[in-house]
């Protein structure tokens, strides 16, 4: 056998199951899954993780991450995760929710879980549209964005303004960490991983609620190529949904 | 079981809460609604003292979903509410049935429909026994008639929930919840606190395969198989049906009534017996599974039947289904908003007895 001098520099994380995903080309769910999988490996969390999945394209997250999981009804993942964490406080608990799930039908559950300071992490994937049900308006749909239920574009006087969840969550008392990242480019992906790690650490330190919003692409429902979708995130989404840390109690002190 | 020597004087609501603690319930998720507030109020201190946790949720919807989460981890957990609140909890209950998560749910039935009133009623019988949420499922449902029975059946409810991986409902009402009676508390010796050891999500400790609690079955034929499995489970519950029969042996007329109304009807039956009139009581203790076989056996002895409910005729359907090949049942409705006394039941019973 010849010596090829090949060296493996990039592999699938152990916590990610080796199977093709069902996501559309250019969708960022796979990137988000990978970041979580990497952190579960790096932080040695896989055997103590209890994952709460939600409704929408990401409902099959449990097919891709090799951890125990429970499936929640539409929007209720923060309540289900509350029950999981309260019954098994020594475990690492996180939810993974889309914009329709978290910011529309599940608005009450996310607000109150955050306000109670539940020691859980919430990964919020915001692609400004309902993906699985076929491209309807989400609470985060931008003004002027066309969807199947805003065919003329979202109009603020008719449909209201897009909701900035991270800003709202950061204002609540029980929150230890709230940040918005983006998955459109390598630099932002690396930053997003740092946010996720910080949120995970706050839970492990029993500090409070961790929330990380990830701006993501839905090329299929945006009717764009993957590259166009990435451009849209940079040109349209980030200006309305600025990236950064909105709350970090390690800098401010506080929370229990 | 270990019988404790002392008797205590408690409300039905408190008896349910105490029964849950005795059954090693360690998580309670609630939301205030009359007439069941004594349960979350009691749990808010006692559950913590017992080393468990209590959360006052932001809504009934959230409370029931917290229950789903706790049940999925294999921990004994409970929620309680009253009629409008139970409607909101149905979403999670359907998911618990679909994903086979054990838990105990208490409904202290008040008057409805809608906001109704805060007085006793039995209008939630259909919702309770048929599965009030979406999809094909059934609730295992207990209908306690006394405060002691409320305590006892709460303990049983946890065992059944875990043995059969299902939500179990305790259907009381405002009379039972607010009534005080002496009870003898007891603690079961054989609580299996690891009841979910082979299915619950507890973390992949030791590197075991991951576990998944879910109710989504998209692959062709998969949902049909899950429903067949659930249906077989519900069919097997027939053997667990329970009832109380009081003075039925030589009775000409059997009163069918459950819960608080069963209790009131029993007093009326006693009065008739004193007068030498052959009236008996058939009181289902499990409302689902309904004790159909026992009732049919009475029908085959030539008894006549009068169903009395604090609603406009819901358990009546189950009575009729049980005896349909033999006879029928008369019905006397007690409208919600009214509180019946044993004396008020005498006239309709007498009418039936005399064949009028």
């Amino acid at each position: 056998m010849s010596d090829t001098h090949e060296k493996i520099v990039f592999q699938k994380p152990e916590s990610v199951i080796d199977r093709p995903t069902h996501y559309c080309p250019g969708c960022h769910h796979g990137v988000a899954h990978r970041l979580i999988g990497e952190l579960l490996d790096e932080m040695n969390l896989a055997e103590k993780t209890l994952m709460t999945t939600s409704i929408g394209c990401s409902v099959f997250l449990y097919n891709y991450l090799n951890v125990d999981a429970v499936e929640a009804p539409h929007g209720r993942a923060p309540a289900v995760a509350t029950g999981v964490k309260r019954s098994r406080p020594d475990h690492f608990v996180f939810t993974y929710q889309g914009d329709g799930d978290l910011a529309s039908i599940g608005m009450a559950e996310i607000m109150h879980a955050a306000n109670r300071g539940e020691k859980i992490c919430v990964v919020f994937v915001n692609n400004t549209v309902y993906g699985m049900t076929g491209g309807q308006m989400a609470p985060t749909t931008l003004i002027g964005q066309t969807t199947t239920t805003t065919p003329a574009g979202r109009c603020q006087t008719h449909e209201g303004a897009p909701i900035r969840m991270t800003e709202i969550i950061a204002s609540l008392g029980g929150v230890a960490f709230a940040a918005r990242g983006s998955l459109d480019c390598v630099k932002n992906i690396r930053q997003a991983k740092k946010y996720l790690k910080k949120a995970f650490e706050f839970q492990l330190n029993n500090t409070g609620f961790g929330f990380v919003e990830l701006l993501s692409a839905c090329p299929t429902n945006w009717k764009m190529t993957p590259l166009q979708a990435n451009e849209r995130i940079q040109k349209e989404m980030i200006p309305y949904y600025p990236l950064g840390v909105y709350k970090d109690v390690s800098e401010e002190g506080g929370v229990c | 079981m270990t019988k404790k020597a002392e008797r205590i004087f408690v409300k039905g609501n408190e008896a349910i809460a105490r029964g849950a603690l005795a059954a090693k319930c360690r998580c309670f998720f609630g939301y205030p609604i009359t007439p069941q507030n004594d349960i979350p109020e009691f749990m808010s201190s006692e559950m913590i003292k017992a080393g468990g946790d209590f959360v006052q949720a932001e809504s009934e919807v959230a409370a029931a979903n917290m229950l789903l989460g706790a049940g999925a981890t294999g921990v004994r957990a409970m929620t309680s509410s009253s009629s409008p609140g139970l409607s909101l909890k149905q979403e999670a209950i359907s998911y618990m049935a679909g994903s086979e998560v054990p838990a105990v749910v208490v409904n202290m039935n008040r008057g409805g429909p809608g906001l109704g009133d805060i007085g006793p009623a039995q209008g939630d019988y259909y919702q309770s026994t048929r599965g009030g949420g979406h999809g094909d499922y059934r609730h295992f449902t207990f209908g306690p008639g006394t405060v002691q029975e409320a305590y006892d059946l709460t303990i049983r409810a946890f065992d059944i929930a875990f043995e059969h991986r299902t939500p179990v409902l305790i259907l009381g009402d405002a009379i039972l919840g607010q009534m005080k009676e002496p009870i003898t508390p007891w603690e079961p010796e054989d609580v299996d606190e690891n009841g979910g050891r082979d299915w619950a999500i507890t973390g992949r400790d030791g590197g075991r395969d991951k576990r998944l609690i879910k109710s989504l079955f998209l692959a062709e034929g998969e949902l049909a198989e899950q429903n067949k499995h659930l249906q077989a489970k519900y069919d097997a519950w027939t053997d667990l049906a329970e009832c109380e029969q009081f003075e039925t042996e030589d009775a000409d007329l059997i009163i069918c009534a459950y819960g608080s109304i069963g209790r009131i009807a029993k007093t009326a039956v006693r009065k008739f017996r004193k007068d030498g009139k052959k009236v008996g009581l058939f009181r289902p203790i499990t409302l689902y599974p309904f004790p159909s076989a026992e009732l049919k056996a009475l029908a085959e002895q030539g008894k006549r039947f009068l169903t009395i409910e604090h609603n406009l005729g819901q358990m009546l359907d189950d009575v009729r289904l049980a005896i349909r090949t033999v006879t029928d049942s008369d019905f006397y409705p007690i409208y919600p908003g009214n509180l019946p006394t044993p004396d008020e039941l005498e006239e309709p019973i007498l009418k039936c007895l005399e064949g009028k």
Side-chain angles (χ1 to χ4, degrees), chain B residues 21 28 43 108 115 134 145 165 258 306 322 336-337:
Chain B
L21 284 171
F28 184 91
M43 288 299 195
M108 303 311 277
L115 203 48
H134 59 284
R165 281 189 65 181
Y258 75 94
L306 169 64

Side-chain angles (χ1 to χ4, degrees), chain A residues 62 68-69 71 76 88 91, chain B residues 73 202 208 210-211 215:
Chain A
Y62 47 65
D68 278 6
E71 184 183 76
R76 317 300 178 215
R88 299 279 178 190
H91 287 68
Chain B
T73 74
T202 56
R208 65 156 168 76
K210 77 178 168 84
R211 290 178 183 161
S215 60

Side-chain angles (χ1 to χ4, degrees), chain B residues 252-325:
Chain B
D252 296 323
L253 179 69
I254 306 282
I255 311 303
C256 298
Y258 75 94
S260 297
I261 300 302
R263 176 81 171 270
I264 294 165
K266 196 173 185 179
T267 303
V269 166
R270 281 201 183 99
K271 206 166 176 187
F272 276 106
R273 281 286 169 177
K274 268 190 188 166
D275 296 343
K277 292 188 167 64
K278 292 184 174 176
V279 181
L281 173 72
F282 181 86
R283 182 175 69 90
I285 293 171
T286 54
L287 304 179
Y288 190 89
F290 191 77
S292 303
E294 291 86 343
L295 195 60
K296 190 183 178 195
L298 290 172
E300 284 166 344
Q301 292 166 22
K303 317 283 190 194
R304 283 181 290 129
F305 295 92
L306 169 64
T307 303
I308 302 179
E309 292 180 81
H310 207 166
N311 61 41
L312 307 183
Q314 296 190 20
M315 184 182 77
L316 176 65
D317 286 356
D318 283 335
V319 170
R320 283 178 164 154
L321 281 169
I323 62 176
R324 68 191 184 282
T325 56

